[in-house]
Amino acid sequence: QVQLVESGGGLVQAGGSLRLSCAASGSIFSINVIGWFRQAPGKEREGVSCISSTGGSVYYADSLKGRFTISRDNAKNTVYLQMNSLTPEDTAVYYCAADVGDSGAYYYNSCAARFGSWGQGTQVTVSS
């Protein structure tokens, strides 16, 4: 099993930055892809970004390219999401997920991965 814990969310003014972390534990070597997702009030879950285990393949939602950067530190078993130039439209609960397990399975076409292990989410609120 894989456990994922997000952190780094909070309240920030428009134009500010946050860095989210996703710490993985358990059977981490079974993970091929880590993805970031978000869900804003009244909206459906949205794919944000994903990264392969080697860091050699990354994806960003078109609207977020240039503002968000995904990276990983395998020594710390952690994936990061650097978010810059934040706007109120970025307000959401942000989740990380791994392509293992079978909890709330979600196939993210852009990352060609089926995500079945999820963190608890971290709230990001951007004020105007």
Side-chain angles (χ1 to χ4, degrees), residues 5-9 19-23 36 78-81 96 122:
V5 179
E6 303 96 334
S7 61
R19 188 177 75 161
L20 307 183
S21 298
C22 175
W36 283 99
T78 300
V79 172
Y80 303 97
L81 184 69
C96 66
T122 185

Side-chain angles (χ1 to χ4, degrees), residues 9-14 18 86-88 90-94 122-127:
L11 177 64
V12 64
Q13 290 185 320
L18 287 172
L86 288 165
T87 74
D90 296 315
T91 295
V93 178
Y94 284 71
T122 185
Q123 177 71 50
V124 171
T125 302
V126 184
S127 62

Side-chain angles (χ1 to χ4, degrees), residues 63-101:
S63 63
L64 305 178
K65 289 180 179 178
R67 295 197 299 120
F68 286 19
T69 303
I70 191 169
S71 62
R72 66 188 305 148
D73 185 342
N74 287 340
K76 298 181 178 180
N77 299 322
T78 300
V79 172
Y80 303 97
L81 184 69
Q82 178 69 44
M83 307 186 297
N84 299 324
S85 301
L86 288 165
T87 74
E89 288 69 40
D90 296 315
T91 295
V93 178
Y94 284 71
Y95 301 89
C96 66
D99 63 336
V100 297

Side-chain angles (χ1 to χ4, degrees), residues 7 19 25 37-38 48 52 77 99 119-120 124:
S7 61
R19 188 177 75 161
S25 61
F37 302 82
R38 68 184 184 182
V48 173
S52 64
N77 299 322
D99 63 336
Q120 83 288 347
V124 171

